[in-house]
Each structure stands twice: as structure tokens, then as C-alpha cells.
Amino acid sequence: MATRVHGRPLAYLDNAATTHRPRAVLDAMDGFSRTSNANVHRGVHRLSQVATDAFEAARETVRISIGASEAAEVVFTKGCTEAINLVAQSWGTANLREGDEVLLSTMEHHANIVPWQVVAKATGARIRPIPIHDDGTLDLSALDTMLGPKTRLVGIAHVSNSLGTINPVEEVARLARSAGAKVLVDGAQALAHLPVDVRALGVDFYAMSGHKMYGPMGVGGLYARRELLEEMPPYQTGGGMIRTVTFEETTYAGVPDRFEPGTPNVAGVIGWAAAFEFLAGLDRKAVQHHEDDLLALASELIGSQPGVHVLGPIPSSRAAVVSFVMDGIHPHDIGTVLDQEGVAIRAGHHCCMPLMARLGVSGTARASLALYNTGEEVHALAKGLARVREVMT
Amino acid sequence: MATRVHGRPLAYLDNAATTHRPRAVLDAMDGFSRTSNANVHRGVHRLSQVATDAFEAARETVRISIGASEAAEVVFTKGCTEAINLVAQSWGTANLREGDEVLLSTMEHHANIVPWQVVAKATGARIRPIPIHDDGTLDLSALDTMLGPKTRLVGIAHVSNSLGTINPVEEVARLARSAGAKVLVDGAQALAHLPVDVRALGVDFYAMSGHKMYGPMGVGGLYARRELLEEMPPYQTGGGMIRTVTFEETTYAGVPDRFEPGTPNVAGVIGWAAAFEFLAGLDRKAVQHHEDDLLALASELIGSQPGVHVLGPIPSSRAAVVSFVMDGIHPHDIGTVLDQEGVAIRAGHHCCMPLMARLGVSGTARASLALYNTGEEVHALAKGLARVREVMT
Amino acid sequence: MNDPLRDLYQEVILDHNRRPRNRREMPEATHSASGDNPLCGDCVTVYLLVENGKIVDASFVGLGCAISTASASILTEAVRGMTPAEAKAHFDRFHRGVMGREEDPRLGEAIALLGVREFPMRVKCATLAWHALEAALADSQKEKS
Amino acid sequence: MNDPLRDLYQEVILDHNRRPRNRREMPEATHSASGDNPLCGDCVTVYLLVENGKIVDASFVGLGCAISTASASILTEAVRGMTPAEAKAHFDRFHRGVMGREEDPRLGEAIALLGVREFPMRVKCATLAWHALEAALADSQKEKS
Ligand SMILES: Cc1ncc(COP(=O)(O)O)c(C=O)c1O
Ligand SMILES: Cc1ncc(COP(=O)(O)O)c(C=O)c1O
């Protein structure tokens, strides 16, 4: 990326919205499209077999990367939102009953709230927000109290997109499991920053997006334990996921095919696997250090400015996100001025309106960092904030 | 595509499964990914605006290409299967009642059968197959008789993927409308071959796939008349499609945003629009002539061989598909031998089991042509069939 | 130096943002309507008190950025004293200004808002309150004759 | 000339395909099971008649390609006279043969089926009936002692 904006080199600090893709990912997709493009699964010819092999190899790459037991536990979707919708509609509709409870943290993204509201309305289940502390960390002891025989599922972001909070997923899963509840983790923001091992975390569902971890848009996936997938009814239906169809009756294929009707985004899946491989090929410790350094620098440079307040927990409990507000200046105006300075951040509610309400703000300005960001870019952000004050006051 | 298979140049005659993408499409996607990659809609910064503009310009390109009244009538999905699922779940669940009827042609793809079975089961509606003639054309007079006050929707493929039959969609829509029923057209196979004008056709819903018309996998769309979309409840839910969210209640955005939660496949949408532009830039008449010539040649060369039977209507009522069976030789074996000869076709039920049952076959061998195919490739297919007989008897 | 930010954040806008005029609820309003911007979650409600065919009072409440706050503030000052028909014409004038190149001098202070034309992402901020005004004018049920 | 097609479609396979042995239903079967290949819609049912611990008859019905038909035909001939345990061992032998490089001579005519190893897309065709056999052997409820 060497894009220039408003005549300046661009400091892209909106990586929680979407990351840029390294050449390896673009090339993997391109290579597939140019040389082995074919539909998967149903072809008897060579090219289709090549495509199918590449597609299933990508599933295996994802499996290895997240520590699932078998490739069949990885269902490809178009993104994290669809993965959560799949769980809510398929697992939720089949398992939730009148009076059952779904506990969702107050910092969830709308993608992990609204699908549950829809299924709660249809089934009579109840959604209860798990409170958070003022510093934007989960109130674990409140969760402990809320868990009970009615709890069917706990939904929690691994990393908050608004604040960067890293949630204690392992602990949440342990508590939920001992209450007999399932755990769904929204991993959209985690995979770019943390190594993830779904079995070590002990979760039942883990939802993912390709484009937030250096992969392409239009692809993502759901990890679900096989025994859950086996019992779940199909979500979408169509070709490629059936065993037999007559106008009277249809029988479905096994997992994961049952959850992947239609032509999958083969190039996207291959690109996503390439992103996992890109990350695996890096020294993850070094990457994490780099991001931690940037985060500490950004938190310091931003938080020390007059009238600026950084939200969320201390940097060591946070992935590389700095969410802040400025006295008397609306986040939108911050965003516009910074944009003119060549610094791209996000301003608004970040699809987390309940969290904003809890924090008593209408929105925040959010800088979110990726492994390719630099200290210079963070300095540009800090300098930009001085310009914000100059313009706006 | 200059892929060689088994040491021979590949004759790719499986275009109904997926087409290859012209350079213009790949370059459009690549260009977006490399220079203006950003998330859409929610950003205050420049790159996000560029991405949003490109995304909405693509929507406008699709609108123009299919003759919709306004861009808001085009909802992006991950493919045709998802588009039909959206209609079945959203419109179907809201509008179908016990005893209502959904009429689907016997030649529908599973993607236009199974989603309706699911919603029929949930609502008590009934699915009735519209019969076809022995030559694989729709029995219009039977449709006329079946239409009645209970009919809510007629579902029909514009072009059959198994046989190539071009259905009289305009006439079907006219009949359905006068019976007060809605019409959903599965356009997956049509857009590569025919100019489509949804208003001239008079249809209510038109479902599309990018990858079957020289666009990328992982993207497609639904055309729906605005007044229908306005009344339809959301299908999937999440970020970007809401107005406000609290844990108690959510209000949704207008159309088409309400139907597009989550991060869309922006690069895919841009590539799909480039495919529409690629087609619009061609002399469509000349393309159609070329395909008709290939189809006539293929039908003649294949149909004249001993023991070979071409299914479906006469070539003039057919898009560029030749579906055939050979006496005593299973389609799978035909496919394998042809593959060794460097000819890629498809063998099986083509996700149309009810059609296969109607035709009294377990499957067919299907060659499906695209604008880049040549007479030589058709000759290679014909020569390959001689080899099939030689090997198999 | 040509500074697009100074064109957007003109002094008159910053002033209205710092000290918004008429920011209060109006229980006695004859007309009111709310609008929101789902992209940022900002929302505004515009209140009008119409008596004897004249807008005798106008106010707003809402949370928003400098542009949307200033826009609402300027608007409430401008429409006071107008007839509803004049206010509608004023809305049309503003709308034409934002969408096109036109800068009708009758827009008064609202001309300062037209700087958003260079900032497509901010156009909705400037028009939010105006659309609420238009909706409020259409909301004539409670009008006292 | 090395012709992979000839390795796949060996004469013994074409012969079994042209004249399948034991293709008939068996109402008196003690064991039976069906398998299908959702990718092509092919399906096969294998029937076994076990008496006094021996498979005294074996048959199949189904529609399929040359490979799956020949495979079912060869299988029904092979298991006749075996004990269920021997048939299971025969299945294992075949399975190992298809998955690996091994060509156990005890497989007899079934060795001809191992040509599918060069045709990954056709492996399921060759194994369809064998998986049905395995399932039938597991279906011991109706077994007469
Ligand atoms: C007629 C028809 N309808 C629907 C589909 C499904 O399209 P997609 O797989 O792109 O969702 C296909 C393609 O397989 C088709 O041929
Ligand atoms: C925490 C979180 N969950 C879910 C999502 C939705 O992901 P996607 O838009 O890729 O479906 C996002 C991204 O917006 C997110 O940040």
C-alpha cells in the first residue's frame, strides 16, 4: 500500500474495520483464478479436482491454525456476521426454548447481538447483557452470578473491536461449561493479533472473518465442535449440501457440506488460508512485541494530550486499539481533520451502540493498528490531534 | 486460461458450473485490493469513501445491466443460492400461510427447491412441481391450470443448468401476475448468455451469481422490486444494517442496507460489475451468434454419434448447453475418459435430481459453452466421445 | 494557503457548535420530527411552534458533531418568523445548495454549511436537521389554527 | 504406451460392468445396507445371507458407473463362503489397497479396482459398495444363529 491521500502518504489506522492484504494473499487468489479456477466438489474433471483439493487444503490450513480437531469442524461462510447468524438460526432455533437465557457481553458488536435478538424473539428466550467495568473489562463475577440452569449460551468477543479489550475467554468458557452452557466467541478482532487455539480455549463456537486478519473480504468461517454440528439443522439450503432431493423430501449431506450450499468463494477461501500461512510464517512473538510497542506509544502520545481520554483497559490488557474521546470535540470531527492530515481512523459507535451507552458516549475515535504500521504513523496521529484542537477551537 | 491437463491443452466445457474470468475482471478486483481497499459505509476517512463510492457505483452498474428501476433494488449476496434463501426466508416466511402454494418447475436446480421446502415446512405451504414436456420445455398450459387463488409464488429458472432450456419467463410472469402470484426467476445460468431486463420480463425477484457470468465466486445478488423489499423483514442481521441497537430492541435501516449486514465482499462486487461491463462492451449479437454456432455444431456432432442421445429442446430454444447420455455407458465414465482427453465436462445430476427422475436417467453428461470456446474444442469433445466408446466397450 | 478544513469548520460553524442556539426540548411544539444518521448514531429532533400560520419558536435537541450541531442551531434561528411554506422553501434552497453549486444569499449563515460539499462523507451531518425540519413541517396534525 | 485409462477400465472391470454378477434384490437377506454418493447420485444396496456363521449368498442392486457396478459385482462374488469376520478383513484389505500402495494378492479380481488410485475423483465409486458391505456386516440384528 503506497496510497497517498490528500497529497500525503496515508497512515492507515483503521485496521479493525479491515486490514490490507499482503502480496502473498493477493497472489494466492490470483494464481487460483488464473490457473485452477473451477467449481469444487461436483466435477469429474481434473480442474475441478484441483480446485477441490485446494479448497479442502485451505480448510485444513484453517483447522491447523486454530487448533480444531478435524477439518470438518471448519465451516466456510462469507464472514463473521454470517457465522454468528448460522449459529443463532441453526443451533439457536433448535436449542432455545421459552425462558432460556443467552448471556452476551455489553461490549459485543451488533453482529453478536442482533442475530440473538431475532432468535430470542422467535423462541421466547431472553437475552441478558453481561456487565462490564468502567475500564471496559468484563465483569467476571457478575457473569458467575448470572450463569444458572437457564443459561444456554454465553456470547463474547475475544477482542473488543471498540476498545481492544482482550477478554478472558478461557475463564468464561470454564465458567459457562460448568453451568452447562455453550460458549460462542466472536473472534473477528482476535485472529490478527493473537494466536488462537479453540481447544485450549475450550469454546464451542468460534466465528471468524478473513478480511480482518489480512485475508480477503467475502470469506470467513465458523469453528464448531463436531458433535454440535452433527446435531444442527441446515441453515441455508441449495446445491452441494444434499444427499437426495425429490419434490416431497430432501435428505442432507454430512458436515461440513450441510452448511455450505451453493458455490463457495473458492478463491476467497484460498486467500484466507494464505493469510493464516502468512501469519504462521512470521515470528508471532516479534509481531506481538511490535504491536505492543506501537500500542504503548499510541496510548502514551494520545492519552497525554490535554482534553483527550483514552477508553478501555490498560494497554497490557488490550489488543492494538486506541479508542478515545476529546472534550468538546465530536469523534466525527476528529476523523475528518485527521483524514485531511493523511491519518485514517474510524469515528462513531463501531457497531457497538450498547457499549457506547454504557460508557456514556455517543461514539469514539478509534485508531486500530496492524503489524505493518509504524511508529511514524503513530506520531502522525498524535500530531494530527494537535491540528484537531487547532481547527476545532 | 492456458492450462494444460494431462499434457493436452484444456477444452473447458464446464462453464455452467463456473466460468473463467476475463483479465478485465481480475484486474478490477486486484486494483481495488491494492489501492482502495477499505471497509465501506462506516468510515469518515477518504479510503473508506473511495471504497464506498466504488461499491455503490458497482450497484448502479448491476442496476443498469439488468434494467432495474433503482440501485436500491439490487441486494448483494454471496451468490444465487443465498439470494433465493433470502427470498424464501424473508419474503416466504412473512407471506406464506397454511395451504398456500408455491409452484416450481420440474427443472429447477436444488437451490430453487430446497429453500422452499424448508419454508413450506415451517409455514404449512405446499410446493407443487410444474410439469415439463419430454423435450425438457415447460408445460405452460399445465402452469395455467395450476395457477389459482392459492398460488403465492412461481419459481422458475431463466435457463436450465441441466438442459439449457430457455424458459418463457415473460409469459410465465404474465400468467402468474394475472393470478396474483409473485414470480422468482433463478437467473444463474441466463446472464452469461442473454441480455436480461427485469422490468421487461415483469418479474418480482431475479436471483444471480457472479461466477457463472465471468465474474468472481463469492458474490451474486438479488433483484427485488422496491415495494417488496420495503415490506420484507431482514434475513441475516448484524452491523451496517441497523439504525439503533439496545439490548431490548433493534430498529433496522432501509433498503438495500437492511439486507446486507456485515462487511460485504467489496472486491467481489467490483469484479462482478466489471463482468457486467465486460459483457456490455461486447457485441452481444455477435457473441450470441458465436454461441449459437457452437451449440449447433456440438448438438450435431454429438447427437449424430451411434448410441448417443441429446436431451432437452432443439438448439434454437436452448442456451449453449448440450446434455447427453450414451447407451450402456454411465455419465461418470464418459467424464473420466473425456478428462483424460483434455476435455472438461460435467457428469451427474447437476443438482437437479427431480429433473433427472422425470427424464428417467440417473444423470447426464453435460458440455456447457462460453463465449471463449471454439469450434476446435467442440471437435475435441466429439472426438473424445469416439474414444469413450473405444475404451468402454 | 487554501485550507479545506477552514472552509468546512468556518468560525460561524465553530461558534454555533460551541454555543448552540435554541437547544432545548419544546413540550408545547405543534410540529416535531426526529432524524438519525445510522452510520454514526447521531440523532436530532427539531421542534416547531406554529401559531397563526407563523413559526413563532423553533428548537432542537440532539447529539452530534460540529457540523450537525451548527446546522441545527442555524436552522432554528433562520426559520423563526417564517410561515411553514417559507420554511419549506428555505429547506429546498439549502438542499439545492448542498447538492449543487448554488449559493442562494437568502440562506444567510447557512451558507457556511455548504463547505461540506467538499466532504461527501459529511453531507449527511449537514442535512440531518434540515430533513428533520422538512419532516416536522409535514407533521401537521397538531397544528393550531 | 502407458495408458492410464486402460489401467482404470481393465477388461475384468468392463466385463463385470457389462454382465454384473449377483445383481438382484434379496428379500431373505440377513444383513443389508445402502450407500450413496451424493456427488453423483449413485447408490448401491448390498445384501448378505448369513447362515451358520457363513455368508452363503451375497447380492446387490443399484445404479452406478462402470467402476461402482464392477466393484459391487466383484465384491459379491468374493465374499460368498466367507465368515463375516473374513469379509470384514477382506474389506480392510481392499480399503488399505485403495488408500495406499499395497496390493494384497488375496484381493483377487478386486486388484483390478485399484486403478482408481490414479483417479482421485473416482475412488468413491470404487469404495461405495465396499462401505455398504461394511455397514451390512455391522447390521447384525437380523442374523440367524
Ligand atoms: C440454475 C442454477 N441455479 C442456482 C445455482 C446456484 O448458484 P450458486 O452456486 O452460485 O449459488 C446454480 C449453480 O450451481 C444454477 O445452475
Ligand atoms: C467484533 C466484531 N464482530 C463481528 C464483526 C463483523 O464481521 P464481518 O463484517 O466481517 O462479518 C466485526 C467487524 O465489523 C467485529 O469487529
Side-chain angles (χ1 to χ4, degrees):
Chain A
M1 284 289 305
T3 300
R4 294 176 72 80
V5 166
H6 306 299
R8 288 190 179 77
L10 170 67
Y12 181 80
L13 305 179
D14 192 18
N15 293 288
T18 199
T19 50
H20 296 308
R21 294 174 241 325
R23 186 161 298 270
V25 169
L26 296 175
D27 289 350
M29 295 172 70
D30 226 49
F32 169 77
S33 291
R34 289 187 203 262
T35 66
S36 32
N37 175 64
N39 211 322
V40 294
H41 287 320
R42 274 158 288 174
V44 71
H45 60 78
R46 189 77 207 157
L47 208 56
S48 170
Q49 182 67 25
V50 171
T52 305
D53 289 349
F55 184 68
E56 294 304 332
R59 198 190 300 276
E60 176 64 12
T61 301
V62 177
R63 175 196 82 70
I64 292 172
S65 308
I66 64 171
S69 307
E70 36 171 338
E73 294 181 328
V74 175
V75 175
F76 289 120
T77 65
K78 67 177 172 180
C80 183
T81 300
E82 180 168 69
I84 298 172
N85 273 268
L86 193 168
V87 179
Q89 284 297 316
S90 171
W91 180 87
T93 306
N95 289 280
L96 294 177
R97 299 281 166 272
E98 178 93 41
D100 284 350
E101 293 182 355
V102 171
L103 311 186
L104 304 174
S105 97
T106 302
M107 72 184 94
E108 292 313 296
H109 187 281
H110 296 163
N112 203 20
I113 299 175
V114 189
W116 295 108
Q117 290 179 327
V118 171
V119 68
K121 197 162 170 202
T123 58
R126 196 157 82 95
I127 292 173
R128 296 178 61 195
I130 311 166
I132 58 171
H133 299 294
D134 288 344
D135 70 350
T137 54
L138 194 72
D139 187 340
L140 261 182
S141 66
L143 169 62
D144 205 10
T145 320
M146 293 167 77
L147 280 165
K150 291 179 176 173
T151 316
R152 285 288 150 277
L153 182 123
V154 177
I156 179 116
H158 198 164
V159 170
S160 154
N161 67 307
S162 291
L163 302 177
T165 314
I166 301 173
N167 281 310
V169 166
E170 207 176 328
E171 181 70 7
V172 169
R174 208 182 50 69
L175 289 174
R177 221 179 13 249
S178 57
K182 303 281 176 274
V183 178
L184 179 144
V185 175
D186 173 352
Q189 295 293 339
L191 290 158
H193 302 296
L194 317 172
V196 169
D197 184 321
V198 291
R199 269 184 298 171
L201 292 173
V203 303
D204 298 288
F205 302 105
Y206 197 94
M208 305 173 273
S209 259
H211 72 101
K212 295 194 192 273
M213 52 162 287
Y214 310 108
M217 288 177 176
V219 69
L222 173 70
Y223 159 79
R225 287 196 298 108
R226 181 190 261 274
E227 72 183 81
L228 294 170
L229 280 182
E230 292 283 359
E231 288 167 10
M232 283 160 58
Y235 171 50
Q236 296 189 343
T237 54
M241 50 81 75
I242 55 87
R243 200 169 282 277
T244 59
V245 175
T246 66
F247 271 100
E248 289 70 41
E249 207 192 336
T250 290
T251 56
Y252 298 110
V255 300
D257 295 356
R258 194 195 313 158
F259 299 102
E260 294 177 357
T263 304
N265 184 355
V266 187
V269 161
I270 286 169
W272 186 27
F276 271 115
E277 276 168 354
F278 164 76
L279 284 171
L282 300 174
D283 178 345
R284 288 302 290 264
K285 281 236 149 55
V287 169
Q288 219 160 317
H289 268 132
H290 174 67
E291 290 190 5
D292 286 348
D293 288 350
L294 288 183
L295 178 64
L297 179 68
S299 305
E300 166 60 26
L301 288 179
I302 296 174
S304 62
Q305 302 206 8
V308 179
H309 312 277
V310 173
L311 306 178
I314 50 169
S316 61
S317 310
R318 220 160 79 209
V321 170
V322 188
S323 215
F324 60 96
V325 292
M326 289 175 84
D327 291 341
I329 306 181
H330 189 276
H332 239 181
D333 297 313
I334 302 174
T336 293
V337 177
L338 288 177
D339 180 48
Q340 287 291 318
E341 302 295 300
V343 178
I345 63 147
R346 189 142 296 231
H349 54 65
H350 318 299
C351 293
C352 291
M353 285 189 178
L355 173 64
M356 297 299 126
R358 164 64 179 84
L359 299 174
V361 297
S362 76
T364 76
R366 179 192 71 186
S368 52
L369 306 161
L371 53 82
Y372 41 64
N373 287 127
T374 63
E376 272 156 57
E377 292 173 324
V378 170
H379 279 284
L381 165 63
K383 246 186 71 193
L385 292 185
R387 175 88 169 121
V388 170
R389 261 192 312 279
E390 182 198 319
V391 170
M392 296 304 300
T393 49
Chain B
M1 284 287 303
T3 300
R4 294 175 72 81
V5 167
H6 305 300
R8 291 189 177 76
L10 171 67
Y12 181 81
L13 305 180
D14 192 18
N15 293 288
T18 199
T19 51
H20 296 307
R21 296 175 241 322
R23 185 161 298 271
V25 169
L26 295 175
D27 289 350
M29 295 171 69
D30 225 49
F32 168 77
S33 290
R34 289 187 202 264
T35 66
S36 32
N37 175 65
N39 210 323
V40 295
H41 286 319
R42 275 156 287 174
V44 71
H45 59 78
R46 188 78 205 156
L47 208 55
S48 171
Q49 182 67 25
V50 171
T52 305
D53 289 349
F55 184 69
E56 294 303 332
R59 199 191 299 278
E60 177 64 12
T61 300
V62 177
R63 177 196 79 71
I64 292 172
S65 307
I66 63 170
S69 307
E70 38 171 336
E73 294 181 328
V74 176
V75 175
F76 289 121
T77 64
K78 66 176 171 179
C80 184
T81 300
E82 180 168 69
I84 297 172
N85 275 269
L86 193 167
V87 179
Q89 284 298 316
S90 171
W91 180 88
T93 307
N95 288 280
L96 294 177
R97 298 282 165 272
E98 176 93 40
D100 284 350
E101 293 182 354
V102 172
L103 311 186
L104 304 174
S105 97
T106 303
M107 72 184 94
E108 293 312 296
H109 187 281
H110 296 162
N112 202 19
I113 298 176
V114 189
W116 296 108
Q117 290 180 327
V118 172
V119 67
K121 196 162 170 203
T123 59
R126 195 157 81 95
I127 291 174
R128 296 177 62 196
I130 311 167
I132 58 171
H133 298 295
D134 289 342
D135 71 349
T137 55
L138 194 72
D139 186 341
L140 261 181
S141 65
L143 169 61
D144 205 10
T145 320
M146 292 167 76
L147 281 164
K150 292 179 177 173
T151 319
R152 284 291 149 275
L153 182 124
V154 177
I156 178 117
H158 198 165
V159 169
S160 153
N161 67 308
S162 290
L163 302 176
T165 313
I166 302 173
N167 281 310
V169 166
E170 206 175 327
E171 181 70 7
V172 169
R174 207 182 51 69
L175 290 173
R177 221 177 15 249
S178 59
K182 303 282 178 271
V183 178
L184 177 143
V185 176
D186 172 351
Q189 294 294 338
L191 290 158
H193 303 295
L194 316 172
V196 169
D197 184 320
V198 290
R199 269 184 299 171
L201 291 173
V203 303
D204 299 287
F205 301 105
Y206 197 93
M208 304 173 274
S209 258
H211 72 101
K212 294 191 194 275
M213 50 162 290
Y214 311 108
M217 287 175 176
V219 69
L222 174 70
Y223 158 79
R225 288 195 297 109
R226 181 190 261 276
E227 72 183 80
L228 294 170
L229 279 182
E230 292 284 359
E231 287 168 11
M232 282 160 57
Y235 169 50
Q236 296 188 342
T237 54
M241 51 82 74
I242 56 91
R243 199 168 282 278
T244 58
V245 175
T246 66
F247 272 100
E248 289 71 42
E249 207 190 338
T250 290
T251 57
Y252 298 110
V255 299
D257 295 356
R258 193 195 314 159
F259 299 102
E260 295 177 356
T263 303
N265 183 354
V266 187
V269 161
I270 285 169
W272 187 27
F276 271 115
E277 276 167 354
F278 164 75
L279 283 171
L282 301 174
D283 178 346
R284 286 305 288 264
K285 279 235 151 53
V287 169
Q288 219 159 317
H289 268 131
H290 174 67
E291 291 190 3
D292 286 348
D293 287 350
L294 288 183
L295 179 63
L297 178 68
S299 304
E300 167 58 24
L301 288 180
I302 295 173
S304 64
Q305 301 205 7
V308 179
H309 311 278
V310 173
L311 306 178
I314 52 170
S316 62
S317 308
R318 219 160 80 211
V321 171
V322 188
S323 215
F324 60 96
V325 292
M326 288 175 88
D327 291 341
I329 306 180
H330 189 276
H332 238 178
D333 297 312
I334 302 174
T336 293
V337 177
L338 288 177
D339 180 47
Q340 286 291 318
E341 301 296 301
V343 178
I345 63 149
R346 189 142 294 231
H349 55 64
H350 317 299
C351 293
C352 291
M353 286 192 180
L355 173 62
M356 297 299 126
R358 164 66 179 81
L359 298 175
V361 297
S362 75
T364 76
R366 180 190 73 185
S368 52
L369 307 161
L371 53 80
Y372 41 64
N373 287 127
T374 64
E376 270 155 60
E377 291 173 324
V378 171
H379 279 284
L381 165 62
K383 245 185 71 192
L385 292 186
R387 174 89 169 121
V388 170
R389 261 193 312 278
E390 183 197 317
V391 170
M392 296 305 298
T393 52
Chain C
M1 193 185 108
N2 173 340
D3 185 344
L5 281 176
R6 285 286 167 220
D7 290 346
L8 181 65
Y9 295 112
Q10 293 174 36
E11 191 46 43
V12 50
I13 287 181
L14 296 178
D15 180 60
H16 275 277
N17 180 43
R18 271 189 300 263
R19 301 181 301 112
R21 326 296 196 261
N22 308 310
R23 178 143 84 183
R24 53 185 155 82
E25 290 191 81
M26 193 195 292
E28 71 280 18
T30 52
H31 302 58
S32 74
S34 300
D36 56 17
N37 182 348
L39 301 191
C40 57
D42 287 353
C43 58
V44 67
T45 304
V46 167
Y47 302 94
L48 303 175
L49 179 64
V50 177
E51 280 177 5
N52 304 320
K54 275 241 156 72
I55 297 170
V56 297
D57 196 9
S59 72
F60 79 100
V61 295
L63 261 179
C65 61
I67 310 293
S68 74
T69 304
S71 182
S73 174
I74 289 171
L75 173 160
T76 52
E77 287 205 308
V79 297
R80 199 175 309 191
M82 289 185 179
T83 66
E86 285 164 350
K88 175 67 172 64
H90 199 61
F91 163 81
D92 290 338
R93 228 173 266 144
F94 181 71
H95 199 250
R96 276 198 308 275
V98 166
M99 293 303 149
R101 299 281 84 196
E102 210 176 302
E103 301 205 351
D104 192 318
R106 283 172 293 178
L107 281 172
E109 280 188 333
I111 285 177
L113 293 165
L114 301 184
V116 293
R117 290 182 301 208
E118 304 304 320
F119 294 80
M121 295 150 276
R122 305 304 301 274
V123 167
K124 279 196 181 147
C125 305
T127 55
L128 188 59
W130 294 80
H131 283 293
L133 167 71
E134 196 204 12
L137 289 166
D139 161 39
S140 56
Q141 280 112 338
K142 291 184 293 172
E143 187 165 357
K144 299 174 193 164
S145 57
Chain D
M1 194 184 106
N2 175 338
D3 184 344
L5 281 176
R6 284 289 165 216
D7 290 347
L8 181 64
Y9 295 113
Q10 294 176 32
E11 190 47 43
V12 51
I13 288 183
L14 296 178
D15 180 61
H16 275 278
N17 180 42
R18 270 190 301 261
R19 301 182 301 115
R21 324 300 195 258
N22 307 312
R23 179 144 83 185
R24 54 186 155 81
E25 290 190 82
M26 194 196 293
E28 72 278 19
T30 50
H31 302 59
S32 74
S34 301
D36 55 16
N37 182 346
L39 302 189
C40 57
D42 289 351
C43 58
V44 68
T45 304
V46 167
Y47 301 95
L48 303 176
L49 179 63
V50 175
E51 279 177 8
N52 303 319
K54 275 240 154 74
I55 297 172
V56 296
D57 196 9
S59 72
F60 80 99
V61 296
L63 261 178
C65 61
I67 310 294
S68 74
T69 303
S71 182
S73 173
I74 289 170
L75 171 160
T76 52
E77 287 205 309
V79 298
R80 198 173 311 188
M82 289 184 178
T83 65
E86 285 163 352
K88 175 68 171 62
H90 200 59
F91 163 82
D92 290 338
R93 227 170 268 146
F94 181 72
H95 199 250
R96 277 197 308 274
V98 166
M99 292 304 149
R101 298 281 84 195
E102 208 177 303
E103 302 204 351
D104 192 318
R106 283 171 293 180
L107 281 172
E109 279 188 335
I111 286 178
L113 294 164
L114 301 184
V116 294
R117 290 183 301 209
E118 303 305 319
F119 294 81
M121 296 151 275
R122 304 306 298 276
V123 166
K124 279 196 182 149
C125 306
T127 56
L128 188 57
W130 294 79
H131 283 293
L133 167 71
E134 197 204 12
L137 289 168
D139 161 38
S140 58
Q141 278 112 339
K142 291 185 294 172
E143 189 166 353
K144 296 171 194 165
S145 58

